Amino acid sequence: MASGSAIQIPSRLPLLLTHEGVLLPGSTMRTSVDSPRNMQLVRSRLLKGTSLRSTIIGVIPNTSDPTSDCEELPSLHRIGTAALAVQVVGSNWPKPHYTLLVTGLCRFQILQLLKEKPYPVAEVEQLDRLEQFTNQHNKSEEELGELSEQFYKYAVQILDAVRLEERFKMTIPLLVRQIEGLKLLQKTRKPKQDDDKRIVAIRPIRRINHIPSATEDEDEEGDHDDVVMLEKKIRTSSMSEQALKVCLKEIKRLKKMPQSMPEYALTRNYLELMVELPWNKSTKDRLEIRAARILLDNDHYAMEKLKKRVLEYLAVRQLKNNLKGPILCFVGPPGVGKTSVGRSIAKTLGREFHRIALGGVCDQSDIRGHRRTYVGSMPGRIINGLKTVGVNNPVFLLDEVDKLGKSLQGDPAAALLEVLDPEQNHSFTDHYLNVAFDLSQVLFIATANTTATIPPALLDRMEVIQVPGYTQEEKIEIAHRHLIPKQLELHGLTPQQIQIPQVTTLDIITRYTREAGVRSLDRKLGAICRAVAVKVAEGQHKETKPDRAEVTEGEECKEHITEDAKTDSISDTADLALPPEMPILIDFHALKDILGPPMYEMEVTASFVSV
């Protein structure tokens, strides 16, 4: 070992008694001071001292300071460590105490104890010197970070070994044992590259609190496999070049990121969404105009303008394959079938259908999504809808577009300008994705009750088709084609049990409902079916009633029935005793019994002849 400037300690040192650990020369340790003699040492020597000499103290291991000044000092350990007090921190909770940060300098031997109060002072002899060029041993000393209680005994023996050869013989087996343990831990723990310098202090109470189990090891391997599978999906997906570049960059960050970080889950959710989006997946359109016309006529009565526009779109699609999806807006009163027509259009084209309710939406993030810097961010409803249907050419129904709101979070109607513009939606950018997505193949259908509340810029981007209310004749046809069969199926009835003639349907339309659509008419028909269901259920119960009373009573029962029939009215007997005749015919009198008196009277126009 080359010679160099050595550190000389004073011949008299104040002694700090500790039983928490063993301080070795060249190492650093934090120790708590709360006993009377040690507290007096800190106050009188360390806090009031003004020179570097006053910060050098002797640390005696394996010795506890008595809790009272009246008690005598225990037998002191013969070998101690001269230490430099680097830091002193005081606290009053839960009781007054100090925390010392000390660095070991060299070993010393106690020759004579000079005094015991107010703190012990001894005459010492320096046994070795701490040279200033100890960098070659720093790596080995840093590896001695956590030692068990059993290793504590060996540390005391190392401290007692003055000769260098004896120290090597005792420390080398322990170092080899510690290195083997660290190698085992490296298999399950990732090495921390930015660790600070470890504090080498041997504490008897400190143990290894947690050893990774085989289950946790399997979980980590499973998570790693999931990231590898996610990367394969990204590379094999058909996303755009820009999106692929962004995803590969994010997957590299994900591999370097610890799983405990909150950003890990956010990044993984983002990549999974990018993989699930239908970048080039689409359905093939059914372009047979004759079959489309038959399907539309079967699903909806009247609505000639809407059917004509759909057939025109199919005809143009037959002539040109790369036709952009039109932006339609159905405007009409409630209950005329605007939403159901959109579903029928998707069925006719053979496309997926997705409905987006815009009534009351007052945040533009519902359309464009949130930026990923926010907590709880998510994509907008457009991207979510595409993820749900799984194709890039569905039919999107933007329901109640005239009831959009506006707030401090932005104007969703302004966000729809990019979505509903055929010249811009081929590169729609959601704030969450932050890459362009092609919406040009999506067929957007908006519904509204009025155009007065739609912003002019948004209205200019849509092809408005007026959907007028139904006439009485059209309502009668719709009721007998669609509404009555639907209500019979909902209530478990058959046409052999109930019969509603067209005259009764006209009375319901003119006297009990007054609307442009057919929702109230549907509810009235449902009330009629419920009343008939009660009659049918009661009749079946009476028909299946057992005849044991007739067998036991015989002719006496017949006599009682004859006498009761004479006293009761004929109508009551027919209603209560006999099952109803099938089918039950619903006429105007039955309407009054079921629905009550008419709500409206028919308008009669009278012509006056002037004389």
Side-chain angles (χ1 to χ4, degrees):
M1 186 179 292
S3 63
S5 59
I7 298 176
Q8 296 292 334
I9 63 173
S11 59
R12 294 185 176 185
L13 284 180
L15 302 181
L16 180 71
L17 308 181
T18 178
H19 63 281
E20 292 184 354
V22 177
L23 179 67
L24 297 177
S27 64
T28 305
M29 181 180 73
R30 287 189 186 273
T31 180
S32 179
V33 174
D34 55 1
S35 59
R37 287 185 174 87
N38 288 343
M39 293 274 288
Q40 191 63 33
L41 168 64
V42 174
R43 291 169 182 163
S44 303
R45 178 86 176 185
L46 299 180
L47 296 181
K48 293 183 179 180
T50 58
S51 62
L52 179 63
R53 185 185 183 90
S54 63
T55 61
I56 299 177
I57 60 176
V59 179
I60 302 299
N62 206 17
T63 305
S64 60
D65 189 20
T67 58
S68 175
D69 292 336
C70 301
E71 300 179 12
E72 295 183 358
L73 281 177
S75 59
L76 303 180
H77 195 77
R78 187 175 59 88
I79 304 296
T81 305
L84 181 67
V86 179
Q87 185 183 42
V88 180
V89 179
S91 176
N92 290 325
W93 189 89
K95 64 179 181 178
H97 69 280
Y98 292 98
T99 301
L100 300 184
L101 178 63
V102 292
T103 300
L105 300 177
C106 61
R107 292 175 175 82
F108 67 84
Q109 180 180 1
I110 298 177
L111 300 178
Q112 182 182 1
L113 184 64
L114 301 179
K115 65 176 183 177
E116 297 183 3
K117 296 182 180 180
Y119 53 86
V121 178
E123 183 178 355
V124 300
E125 178 187 2
Q126 186 173 350
L127 298 179
D128 57 358
R129 291 173 174 81
L130 182 65
E131 305 293 341
Q132 293 183 351
F133 46 86
T134 57
N135 296 331
Q136 58 183 348
H137 302 291
N138 287 342
K139 184 176 180 182
S140 298
E141 292 175 352
E142 290 178 0
E143 296 296 331
L144 298 175
E146 297 181 354
L147 299 177
S148 62
E149 184 177 358
Q150 183 180 4
F151 195 55
Y152 175 75
K153 299 178 181 179
Y154 293 101
V156 177
Q157 297 176 7
I158 293 173
L159 180 65
D160 294 340
V162 179
R163 297 180 58 189
L164 187 62
E165 293 82 359
E166 295 179 1
R167 268 182 259 160
F168 277 131
K169 290 179 180 179
M170 301 183 68
T171 56
I172 287 177
L174 297 177
L175 289 175
V176 172
R177 182 179 176 184
Q178 184 71 10
I179 291 173
E180 290 178 355
L182 292 175
K183 288 181 179 179
L184 293 176
L185 291 178
Q186 284 179 353
K187 295 181 180 180
T188 55
R189 292 181 180 178
K190 296 181 179 179
K192 298 180 180 179
Q193 300 178 357
D194 55 348
D195 278 352
D196 297 329
K197 184 178 180 180
R198 294 184 180 179
I199 298 175
V200 183
I202 307 168
R203 302 184 183 273
I205 305 178
R206 198 168 179 183
R207 295 181 178 89
I208 299 176
N209 294 327
H210 177 67
I211 299 177
S213 61
T215 306
E216 294 180 357
D217 194 5
E218 293 177 359
D219 292 341
E220 290 184 2
E221 292 180 358
D223 293 337
H224 179 70
D225 294 340
D226 291 343
V227 174
V228 174
M229 291 297 297
L230 186 59
E231 184 179 5
K232 290 182 180 179
K233 290 180 181 179
I234 291 173
R235 294 185 181 277
T236 57
S237 63
S238 57
M239 62 180 63
S240 61
E241 183 178 354
Q242 179 187 5
L244 181 61
K245 184 178 179 181
V246 172
C247 289
L248 292 178
K249 181 180 178 181
E250 293 293 332
I251 201 71
K252 289 181 181 178
R253 292 180 62 247
L254 188 67
K255 290 180 179 179
K256 300 177 182 179
M257 199 180 302
Q259 297 181 11
S260 58
M261 291 185 61
E263 194 176 355
Y264 181 88
L266 297 177
T267 305
R268 182 166 179 171
N269 292 338
Y270 171 76
L271 294 175
E272 289 177 353
L273 175 65
M274 294 288 284
V275 171
E276 293 175 0
L277 285 179
W279 296 91
N280 285 327
K281 184 179 179 181
S282 60
T283 56
K284 188 176 181 180
D285 291 343
R286 292 199 296 260
L287 303 177
E288 297 180 4
I289 298 180
R290 181 175 299 177
R293 180 182 285 111
I294 294 174
L295 184 60
L296 290 174
D297 289 338
N298 292 336
D299 289 346
H300 294 277
Y301 184 77
M303 294 188 176
E304 299 300 331
K305 288 185 179 180
L306 301 183
K307 297 176 183 178
K308 180 181 177 183
R309 182 64 183 89
V310 175
L311 296 177
E312 290 174 353
Y313 172 74
L314 291 178
V316 178
R317 281 283 285 114
Q318 285 186 357
L319 302 178
K320 187 176 182 180
N321 293 328
N322 57 351
L323 179 65
K324 295 181 179 180
I327 314 295
L328 305 179
C329 180
F330 299 158
V331 180
V336 296
K338 301 183 294 294
T339 304
S340 60
V341 167
R343 188 175 286 105
S344 295
I345 291 174
K347 182 180 177 181
T348 302
L349 296 175
R351 295 190 180 187
E352 298 292 335
F353 177 78
H354 185 72
R355 175 179 171 269
I356 300 176
L358 298 179
V361 174
C362 56
D363 188 358
Q364 70 163 353
S365 298
D366 285 352
I367 307 299
R368 290 190 177 182
H370 304 81
R371 299 191 182 275
R372 285 191 290 143
T373 55
Y374 298 110
V375 177
S377 58
M378 65 177 76
R381 297 193 180 187
I382 304 296
I383 298 298
N384 262 333
L386 290 170
K387 174 188 172 183
T388 302
V389 297
V391 292
N392 64 354
N393 63 339
V395 176
F396 271 9
L397 183 71
L398 306 179
D399 210 3
E400 308 294 348
V401 74
D402 59 327
K403 297 176 179 59
L404 287 171
K406 185 187 297 186
S407 65
L408 297 176
Q409 284 76 26
D411 187 4
L416 281 175
L417 295 178
E418 181 184 4
V419 176
L420 300 181
D421 192 348
E423 302 299 328
Q424 300 180 21
N425 61 8
H426 64 277
S427 60
F428 170 71
T429 303
D430 189 274
H431 287 166
Y432 186 83
L433 297 184
N434 205 23
V435 293
F437 194 92
D438 187 9
L439 299 179
S440 59
Q441 300 301 319
V442 180
L443 175 58
F444 289 100
I445 299 176
T447 65
N449 297 128
T450 177
T451 58
T453 56
I454 301 178
L458 182 60
L459 188 63
D460 182 64
R461 283 166 166 77
M462 299 184 293
E463 179 183 347
V464 178
I465 300 178
Q466 295 290 338
V467 183
Y470 297 116
T471 62
Q472 292 183 2
E473 291 77 10
E474 291 174 345
K475 289 182 180 180
I476 293 174
E477 289 295 330
I478 292 172
H480 286 270
R481 289 188 181 187
H482 304 287
L483 301 183
I484 294 177
K486 183 186 73 172
Q487 291 295 337
L488 292 181
E489 183 179 359
L490 289 176
H491 294 87
L493 299 174
T494 61
Q496 289 76 23
Q497 294 173 330
I498 181 174
Q499 182 178 357
I500 304 177
Q502 293 190 357
V503 178
T504 304
T505 307
L506 180 61
D507 288 337
I508 298 174
I509 294 170
T510 56
R511 296 177 181 271
Y512 291 92
T513 61
R514 282 195 177 180
E515 58 175 349
V518 291
R519 285 180 180 168
S520 295
L521 176 61
D522 192 24
R523 285 192 289 268
K524 299 299 182 183
L525 293 174
I528 293 172
C529 291
R530 288 192 297 272
V532 173
V534 173
K535 293 291 184 181
V536 173
E538 289 179 349
Q540 291 179 353
H541 177 69
K542 291 176 181 178
E543 286 179 350
T544 58
K545 191 174 181 180
D547 298 330
R548 295 178 181 176
E550 294 181 1
V551 176
T552 57
E553 296 181 1
E555 297 179 356
E556 294 180 358
C557 182
K558 294 182 180 180
E559 293 176 358
H560 287 294
I561 293 175
T562 306
E563 292 176 359
D564 293 339
K566 292 179 180 179
T567 56
D568 296 339
S569 61
I570 300 176
S571 60
D572 294 341
T573 305
D575 291 340
L576 300 177
L578 299 177
E581 296 181 359
M582 298 296 173
I584 298 177
L585 179 65
I586 305 299
D587 54 5
F588 181 71
H589 297 287
L591 283 182
K592 292 182 67 176
D593 294 338
I594 298 173
L595 303 179
M599 300 176 60
Y600 309 100
E601 294 294 336
M602 295 184 62
E603 297 179 357
V604 179
T605 59
S607 60
F608 298 94
V609 180
S610 59
V611 179

